[in-house]
Amino acid sequence: MSLLTIERKVLERNDAIAEKNRETLHKHGVFCVNIVSSPGSGKTTLIERTLEGVKNLIRIAVIEGDVQTDLDARRIAAYGVPTVQIVTNGGCHLEAHLIADALNGISLADADLLLIENVGNLVCPASYDLGEEIKVVVLSVTEGDDKPLKYPAMFRNAAVLVVNKIDLLPYLRCSIDTLVANALGINPRLKVFRLSSATSEGVEAWTSWLVESVARHRKEPSA
Ligand code: MG
Ligand code: ZN
């Protein structure tokens, strides 16, 4: 018996549930974004700025994954959008069956966009399909420009890279151009946004793209 075999079975079971989640989301025309990053890169703050920018343009629901607390879910729910909390009780990533349960608590007919904030972890969330349309990886410049090289799977599996906290660049040794070049070296198709959720610089390009993506998704013939 090998650990590799067990791992593969777990992932196969996960992928089957993820495919059902994707069908459910497609049926309701919901564009689903799985937001992944290491802890502290600013996922929750990015979601807050996103809600401020577009919650009057499109209908948004949020699933908040957290290891232990509902602190982030409380921040998001304060914006008046449907929010479902998943506490993993130590689990270091979200899995498709957790999302399947959470979807039961969301009125999908009343949503255009579902944002999933994954558990802060640059490793295993890369391997777990949740049924999303795209993964968005958030990397803050405080983490260093070498991170795409160290955690390539996350960047390979993502469609979008949000480089966050650019307001801090003057105080850091991080080269944002090196960071982006490293990420594009792994995945040349990555769509890249450079922004600061703290100052809102660059946030509008991201929210405009998101609204366009939701509209494009709605026009696609449902699978
Ligand atoms: Mg958070
Ligand atoms: Zn994990």
Side-chain angles (χ1 to χ4, degrees):
M1 171 185 288
S2 82
L3 284 172
L4 187 64
T5 309
I6 293 166
E7 168 86 351
R8 196 181 300 133
K9 273 187 188 155
V10 168
L11 287 176
E12 278 170 9
R13 200 179 311 133
N14 181 78
D15 286 354
I17 300 169
E19 212 40 62
K20 280 196 189 138
N21 290 347
R22 192 170 285 110
E23 279 170 26
T24 302
L25 291 162
H26 270 194
K27 198 168 67 192
H28 292 92
V30 178
F31 187 71
C32 178
V33 177
N34 179 5
I35 304 174
V36 294
S37 81
S38 59
S41 65
K43 293 185 297 302
T44 311
T45 309
L46 178 66
I47 293 173
E48 289 180 317
R49 293 295 90 76
T50 303
L51 292 175
E52 285 164 10
V54 304
K55 82 181 173 92
N56 294 329
L57 303 174
I58 51 178
R59 300 168 301 168
I60 307 177
V62 180
I63 294 176
E64 277 290 323
D66 205 290
V67 174
Q68 207 65 67
T69 72
D70 65 356
L71 294 173
D72 289 355
R74 285 170 185 274
R75 282 168 60 184
I76 299 306
Y79 285 82
V81 296
T83 307
V84 177
Q85 169 78 60
I86 298 172
V87 176
T88 63
N89 283 314
C92 53
H93 57 267
L94 293 178
E95 295 184 19
H97 71 92
L98 297 171
I99 299 302
D101 289 345
L103 290 180
N104 290 326
I106 295 172
S107 175
L108 293 175
D110 300 315
D112 304 309
L113 172 66
L114 174 63
L115 297 174
I116 301 174
E117 179 175 345
N118 214 313
V119 174
N121 175 353
L122 269 182
V123 186
C124 26
S127 307
Y128 285 84
D129 184 5
L130 303 180
E132 72 271 4
E133 206 64 37
I134 57 165
K135 282 189 177 73
V136 171
V137 57
V138 181
L139 185 65
S140 69
V141 292
T142 55
E143 297 171 74
D145 47 33
D146 59 348
K147 288 304 168 292
L149 304 177
K150 291 187 161 188
Y151 302 96
M154 196 59 99
F155 294 83
R156 202 176 296 124
N157 294 344
V160 173
L161 164 63
V162 171
V163 184
N164 194 15
K165 306 191 187 180
I166 59 169
D167 55 306
L168 298 180
L169 275 169
Y171 312 103
L172 303 169
R173 280 203 202 132
C174 173
S175 159
I176 190 167
D177 291 330
T178 302
L179 184 158
V180 171
N182 284 340
L184 290 174
I186 289 157
N187 180 358
R189 295 181 311 280
L190 270 176
K191 174 103 183 139
V192 181
F193 295 96
R194 305 171 183 212
L195 57 82
S196 165
S197 296
T199 67
S200 291
E201 181 186 356
V203 168
E204 205 189 325
W206 150 253
T207 53
S208 301
W209 178 85
L210 197 55
V211 170
E212 280 165 26
S213 299
V214 167
R216 205 179 312 122
H217 184 255
R218 220 184 279 122
K219 273 185 226 134
E220 278 171 17
S222 50

